[in-house]
Amino acid sequence: GVYVCHKNQNQNQLFFHHAIKVEVVNTLGAGDAFGSSFVGAYLMDKSIEDSMRFGVINSASVVGFSDAKSGLLIKAELEKRIEKLDKNLLEKL
């Protein structure tokens, strides 16, 4: 899983998103997939919560492949998978 701390209107918010259970082939690129997807979503004005979901979904996809690029998802696929993602995997602490 992943923690994200966000300062919003002078208030710190802490979020935790549980990892998505997938078969892991290789962890190479998982952190890069999370980071780039999170930042990309946030720069597209997605919420912190949805930005975390973008990152978690893309990193879960990447670990199913032996290299760091084959599992990367495009925006349309990420948005489709967000709709199916269990929203209870994200906690506001």
Side-chain angles (χ1 to χ4, degrees), residues 11-78:
Q11 177 185 5
N12 287 331
Q13 296 176 310
L14 181 62
F15 299 91
F16 177 73
H17 200 296
H18 294 270
I20 298 171
K21 294 186 191 286
V22 294
E23 185 175 331
V24 176
V25 174
N26 192 344
T27 60
L28 180 69
D32 292 336
F34 176 86
S36 59
S37 299
F38 175 87
V39 170
Y42 192 70
L43 290 175
M44 291 186 297
D45 292 324
K46 301 285 185 188
S47 66
I48 290 293
E49 294 93 330
D50 279 345
S51 297
M52 290 178 74
R53 291 179 180 112
F54 266 64
V56 168
I57 290 169
N58 222 353
S59 62
S61 179
V62 166
V63 299
F65 295 85
S66 59
D67 66 332
K69 294 191 324 184
S70 294
L72 289 173
L73 303 171
I74 62 172
K75 180 184 173 196
E77 183 62 28
L78 287 165

